[in-house]
Amino acid sequence: MIIGCMSAGKSSELIRRIERARLAYLPTIIFRPATDTRSKADLVESRNGLQSQAVVVSNPRDMLKYSSQAVVIGIDEVQFFDIEVFDVVQTLLRQRKKIIASGLDLDYKGKPFGPVPNLLALADRVDKLMAVCRKCGSDFACRTQRTVQSSEQILVGDSEYEARCIDCFDPPSDFQLKINLANEENFDPPVVRIVQPLANPAV
Ligand SMILES: [Zn+2]
């Protein structure tokens, strides 16, 4: 899994790994969800200009149909698929395919995005990439800030978002975390009993 916020280099890392598999003469295929309408049909594109052939699918099950010849399978923007992608990936893994999936781990509210948490649980390897914060320039941007008003979880676009670090991330007020902490006078600290080790343990 290659995850992170927008502009972190996820798609270019996916393309790089698929190209390496191709150099090793392994049959590959890249899938992309139909929901993502930003790239030209049949291409996966990164912001730094890399591109590769891709098959656009609207239903994750279609990946089973098209991947019989492939040994290494790339899935870009995996967060846009529904949870059925989890079963599809498990089926492909049982067929001994190697799967490299990239996508957003968190949505614009800072909440886990679609099937990504489940896929992370399946993954042997997870690379979490960071972007440059567009507000303060920090190297540790890990959130995707929506810069327009909309409460749709999926609002496809680039100009409507920017990468932000955790300090500069400002989720919509409706979704800010509200956790009721016990106030101090009612708060009983947990009893901690410290067990002293024996000075001369019996042999
Ligand atoms: Zn920042």
Side-chain angles (χ1 to χ4, degrees):
M1 290 286 291
I2 305 163
I3 54 160
C5 65
M6 72 175 295
S7 307
K10 301 182 299 298
S11 297
S12 65
E13 180 60 17
L14 175 73
I15 294 169
R16 191 185 73 83
R17 291 190 196 177
I18 293 290
E19 288 301 328
R20 284 177 67 88
R22 287 178 185 158
L23 286 172
Y25 308 107
L26 296 170
T28 64
I29 189 165
I30 303 182
F31 293 108
R32 188 164 80 66
T35 326
D36 182 11
T37 49
R38 288 168 296 173
S39 296
K40 286 181 221 110
D42 307 333
L43 276 185
V44 51
E45 291 178 305
S46 69
R47 284 185 182 77
N48 62 357
L50 294 181
Q51 51 178 230
S52 189
Q53 288 292 312
V55 176
V56 177
V57 287
S58 37
N59 187 320
R61 278 175 181 277
D62 294 338
M63 291 195 254
L64 298 171
K65 268 193 289 190
Y66 298 125
S67 60
S68 59
Q69 304 297 315
V71 173
V72 180
I73 299 170
I75 310 174
D76 195 32
E77 305 289 357
V78 71
Q79 78 278 357
F80 288 145
F81 285 111
D82 65 36
I83 192 64
E84 201 181 13
V85 74
F86 180 80
D87 295 331
V88 168
V89 166
Q90 275 198 310
T91 305
L92 293 169
L93 288 172
R94 273 188 230 113
Q95 296 170 3
R96 303 258 175 238
K97 315 267 191 205
K98 178 175 177 176
I99 300 172
I100 307 166
S102 66
L104 294 169
D105 48 351
L106 299 171
D107 66 10
Y108 75 102
K109 303 175 212 163
K111 300 253 169 102
F113 209 140
V116 173
N118 295 58
L119 294 172
L120 286 173
L122 271 188
D124 297 324
R125 176 175 166 188
V126 176
D127 289 300
K128 187 155 179 161
L129 306 183
M130 299 228 169
V132 173
C133 175
R134 299 294 291 161
K135 197 170 180 194
C136 75
S138 137
D139 229 0
F140 302 103
C142 52
R143 297 287 186 279
T144 302
Q145 178 76 48
R146 183 174 285 179
T147 53
V148 294
Q149 287 284 332
S150 169
S151 56
E152 297 286 307
Q153 187 189 34
I154 297 177
L155 171 72
V156 175
D158 268 334
S159 56
E160 295 86 350
Y161 297 95
E162 64 185 26
R164 294 263 183 106
C165 71
I166 188 104
D167 293 331
C168 297
F169 179 58
D170 181 23
S173 53
D174 300 0
F175 300 107
Q176 276 171 5
L177 295 179
K178 294 186 186 79
I179 298 174
N180 295 320
L181 296 174
N183 55 31
E184 256 173 59
E185 58 261 34
N186 302 333
F187 183 66
D188 292 323
V191 179
V192 178
R193 198 160 59 87
I194 296 167
V195 181
Q196 295 291 341
L198 295 174
N200 291 306
V203 178

